[in-house]
């Protein structure tokens, strides 16, 4: 077989930017970092992101959603603590012990799954997230090495302070010296005085979790795809499935090798734009599985050139706003077909 070394789409991860963002989060919070790399590092690729983070002393631990994700980190050679945020079921205990994972216990059934096994674990409290965590009861056990909670609405100062106060009184029941963590990327703005670690994901990539975010982050991700066809069309010519766009004049359209199967959500059809040499070009017609049509108008792009989906000053957050979603969802949608590289 002949090797294909000209990918149609590339996601570039900028090592320097991630290192800068880690140092900035560490400096701003004054705390060590639990790097949240669930869901394949938010779709960016643990194989590429984790080796960068693993070398940094500011990153003391990793957090993933489920044991399978923890096993992937261990098989990559990660020796730092690996928290499993999504609880622990009886079937998970083999992997927890064999791979030295740290479950987060948030339900009495998780305690039952652990039983008398000699494993360390963290306890999660629900102070107003309304998802995982103990509400009324306190769990005490000598194997507990950390307590955590999670902010539901970090943009709402009043409610966040209620959650922080509740968590403060819970933390008071535990011995000093254990890990205490509550702040996510957005949550770091509260500089909670009694937590020992911050638990951040999104900010690692330079994506701002809040509109007015006081940290100086650098965008770490560029996502681009190649133009595979360019042609001129007369006025009144329909574009793509369903003919949801019709050319208004004689115009140049291009087909970009990037569709909803690559992560460009169909809802961006006739709404979003891509960037060609720094200029915004509108997405016209329906985004299809593997291809998206853009209108170049009078620009003169050539087949084989690149257009930018994210990068050149545009973030996942910017695109998410147009799509009516959050950057997390767009990032997780970037599929395995997109070639990854660290630069
Ligand atoms: C995903 C997650 C985080 C990280 O949130 P970011 O906004 O990406 O920093 C922190 N804590 C928990 C419990 C999470 O599920």
């Amino acid at each position: 077989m002949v090797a294909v070394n000209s990918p149609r789409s590339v996601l570039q991860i900028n090592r320097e930017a991630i290192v800068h963002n880690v140092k900035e989060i560490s400096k701003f919070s004054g705390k060590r970092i639990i790097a949240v790399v669930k869901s394949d590092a938010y779709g960016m690729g643990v194989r590429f992101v984790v080796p960068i983070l693993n070398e940094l002393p500011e990153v003391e631990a990793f957090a993933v959603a489920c044991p399978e994700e923890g096993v992937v980190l261990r098989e990559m050679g990660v020796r730092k603590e690996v928290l499993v945020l999504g609880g622990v079921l009886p079937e998970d205990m083999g992997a927890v012990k064999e791979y030295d994972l740290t479950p987060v216990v948030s339900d009495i059934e998780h305690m039952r799954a652990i039983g008398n096994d000699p494993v360390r674990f963290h306890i999660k409290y629900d102070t107003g997230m309304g998802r995982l965590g103990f509400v009324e009861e306190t769990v005490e056990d000598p194997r507990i090495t950390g307590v955590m909670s999670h902010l539901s609405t970090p943009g709402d100062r009043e409610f966040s302070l209620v959650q922080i106060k509740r968590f403060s009184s819970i933390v008071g029941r535990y011995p000093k010296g254990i890990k205490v963590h509550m702040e996510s990327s957005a949550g770091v703005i509260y500089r909670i005085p009694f937590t020992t670690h911050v638990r951040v994901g999104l900010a690692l990539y330079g994506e701002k979790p809040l509109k007015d975010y006081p940290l100086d982050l650098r965008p770490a991700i560029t996502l681009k795809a190649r133009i595979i066809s360019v042609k001129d069309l007369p006025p009144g010519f329909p574009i793509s499935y369903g003919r949801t766009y019709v050319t208004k004049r004689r115009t140049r359209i291009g087909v970009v090798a990037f569709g909803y199967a690559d992560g460009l959500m169909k809802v961006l059809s006739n709404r979003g734009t891509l960037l060609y040499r720094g200029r915004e070009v509108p997405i016209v017609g329906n985004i299809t599985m593997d291809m998206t049509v853009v209108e170049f108008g009078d620009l003169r792009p050539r087949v084989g050139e690149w257009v930018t989906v994210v990068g050149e000053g545009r973030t996942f957050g910017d695109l998410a706003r147009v799509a009516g979603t959050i950057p997390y969802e767009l990032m997780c949608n970037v599929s395995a077909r997109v070639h990854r590289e660290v630069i």
Side-chain angles (χ1 to χ4, degrees):
M1 226 170 78
V2 177
V4 178
N5 53 13
S6 58
R8 298 280 167 107
S9 56
V10 174
L11 184 136
Q12 289 174 329
I13 299 161
N14 185 315
R15 177 196 303 273
E16 296 279 286
I18 291 186
V19 171
H20 167 88
N21 295 336
V22 164
K23 306 234 179 253
E24 177 67 10
I25 293 161
S26 163
K27 198 168 72 176
F28 184 89
S29 67
K31 293 167 194 170
R32 273 166 305 168
I33 295 170
I34 300 169
V36 182
V37 293
K38 62 199 183 203
S39 191
D40 201 21
Y42 292 28
M44 302 297 94
V46 283
R47 282 199 300 126
F48 305 93
V49 172
V50 166
I52 302 171
L53 298 171
N54 199 33
E55 279 181 13
L56 302 174
E58 293 87 351
V59 175
E60 194 185 278
F62 290 97
V64 294
C66 56
E68 289 93 325
E69 292 181 344
V71 170
V72 170
L73 297 199
R74 286 285 181 248
E75 287 182 339
M76 286 174 60
V78 169
R79 291 277 145 262
K80 298 181 182 186
E81 184 168 29
V82 175
L83 278 176
V84 178
L85 297 172
V88 55
L89 304 179
E91 299 80 0
D92 299 331
M93 282 309 295
V96 164
K97 286 187 279 187
E98 183 169 345
Y99 292 90
D100 186 24
L101 308 175
T102 307
V104 175
V105 167
S106 55
D107 189 294
I108 201 66
E109 291 299 328
H110 304 161
M111 281 305 290
R112 292 216 177 89
I114 290 175
N116 293 320
D117 283 340
V119 294
R120 56 183 168 169
F121 55 91
H122 291 203
I123 294 281
K124 185 169 193 177
Y125 287 96
D126 192 336
T127 55
M129 173 67 192
R131 195 177 59 177
L132 289 179
F134 294 97
V135 182
E136 308 285 351
E137 56 278 71
T138 308
V139 180
E140 283 174 66
D141 190 291
R143 296 168 296 176
I144 295 171
T145 56
V147 266
M148 64 177 277
S149 189
H150 195 36
L151 296 168
S152 67
T153 328
D156 179 339
R157 184 164 193 89
E158 206 181 323
F159 188 72
S160 295
L161 293 179
V162 170
Q163 284 197 266
I164 291 166
K165 202 165 152 220
R166 283 185 193 151
F167 190 44
S168 167
S169 77
I170 293 163
V171 168
R173 300 171 203 159
Y174 285 89
K176 295 244 174 309
I178 64 169
K179 294 185 173 111
V180 179
H181 44 106
M182 186 180 211
E183 296 111 305
S184 58
S185 296
V188 299
I189 63 168
Y190 294 104
R191 293 181 144 137
I192 304 173
F194 58 87
T195 58
T196 59
H197 292 70
V198 293
R199 212 173 50 233
V200 297
L202 190 74
L204 300 171
Y205 309 102
E207 292 283 328
K208 286 182 193 241
L210 297 169
K211 195 146 50 64
D212 296 309
Y213 194 60
L215 280 74
D216 165 39
L217 299 180
R218 286 193 201 146
I221 306 295
T222 302
L223 177 57
K224 50 189 194 166
R226 298 182 86 183
I227 301 166
I228 54 173
S229 175
V230 176
K231 67 182 172 215
D232 289 340
L233 288 177
F237 206 97
I239 302 293
S240 189
Y241 289 127
R243 311 194 315 271
T244 59
Y245 183 84
V246 176
T247 56
K248 295 182 178 66
R249 57 184 176 102
R250 185 162 188 86
T251 188
R252 182 156 300 148
I253 62 109
V255 181
V256 176
F258 203 82
Y260 60 74
D262 300 287
L264 195 63
M265 294 167 78
K266 185 168 178 281
V267 52
L268 288 163
S269 303
N270 294 307
R271 289 172 78 174
T273 62
L274 302 180
L275 299 169
Y276 170 70
R277 297 182 179 229
R279 307 260 289 267
E280 280 195 281
V281 287
I283 294 170
V284 290
N286 276 336
I287 293 170
T288 68
M289 191 179 291
D290 313 309
M291 291 172 252
T292 294
V293 181
V294 291
E295 182 162 1
F296 285 109
D298 300 321
L299 298 173
R300 300 232 165 292
R302 287 224 289 268
V303 170
E305 281 192 286
W306 295 86
V307 292
T308 300
V309 183
V310 166
E312 295 183 45
R314 168 195 277 182
T315 63
F316 281 100
D318 295 328
L319 205 57
R321 215 165 300 119
V322 180
T325 184
I326 50 176
Y328 305 81
E329 190 181 17
L330 279 175
M331 293 169 79
C332 289
N333 278 348
V334 179
S335 72
R337 181 164 63 186
V338 180
H339 179 82
R340 267 84 169 160
E341 61 189 32
V342 175
I343 55 168

